[in-house]
Amino acid sequence: MNLEGRKIIVNKSSSELAGMLKNPQDYKDLMPDSLQNFEAREDGFKFGLKGMPEIALKIDNVSDKEVVLKSASSSLDFALTGTMNPVSDNQTEVQLLFEGKFNPFIKMMVEKPLQNFINSLTDKIEQL
C-alpha cells in the first residue's frame, strides 16, 4: 500500500530541516491536534492519536535529501519517508510518502486514517 502527501514548500533549508528531524522530541510539534500521548525515545518516538492504537516509530535515516521513519513493531511493516528537495537557500520542497505491507483487511481499515494522518503532518510541516 502506497500513500502520498501533497508537495509543499517549507521556509527552511533542507539541512535545517534534517537537523530538526534527527531529534525525536521535535516530532511532537508535527503531530496532529488529536495527539493524546507522545514519548520520545533514543532512536525514535511513540505516539497515540484519538481513536487509534499507539504507534512506535524509529528514525532510520536522516539526510539533507530525505528522512525515513520505520515501524518499531515487528508485526507492522511500513516506512514513512519525507523527501526534501532544496528550492533555494532557505526553502525546501517536502513530500511525505508512506509504504506499507498490509493484508487486504488491514489495508481497508487503515488506509483512510493513514491518509488523514499524512495530510495532517503535511499541514504541520508547512507551518514550520
Side-chain angles (χ1 to χ4, degrees), residues 21-70:
L21 296 172
K22 286 179 182 172
N23 181 2
Q25 186 61 43
D26 287 342
Y27 286 86
K28 184 174 185 177
D29 297 332
L30 302 177
M31 291 289 123
D33 295 334
S34 60
L35 181 70
Q36 291 196 304
N37 59 35
F38 184 91
E39 177 188 328
R41 298 174 168 181
E42 187 177 319
D43 64 344
F45 56 94
K46 182 169 81 171
F47 67 96
L49 301 176
K50 194 173 188 176
M52 287 181 68
E54 283 193 343
I55 298 171
L57 296 173
K58 64 180 181 170
I59 301 171
D60 189 59
N61 179 43
V62 179
S63 71
D64 286 0
K65 294 282 182 198
E66 71 176 9
V67 59
V68 179
L69 304 175
K70 291 195 173 175

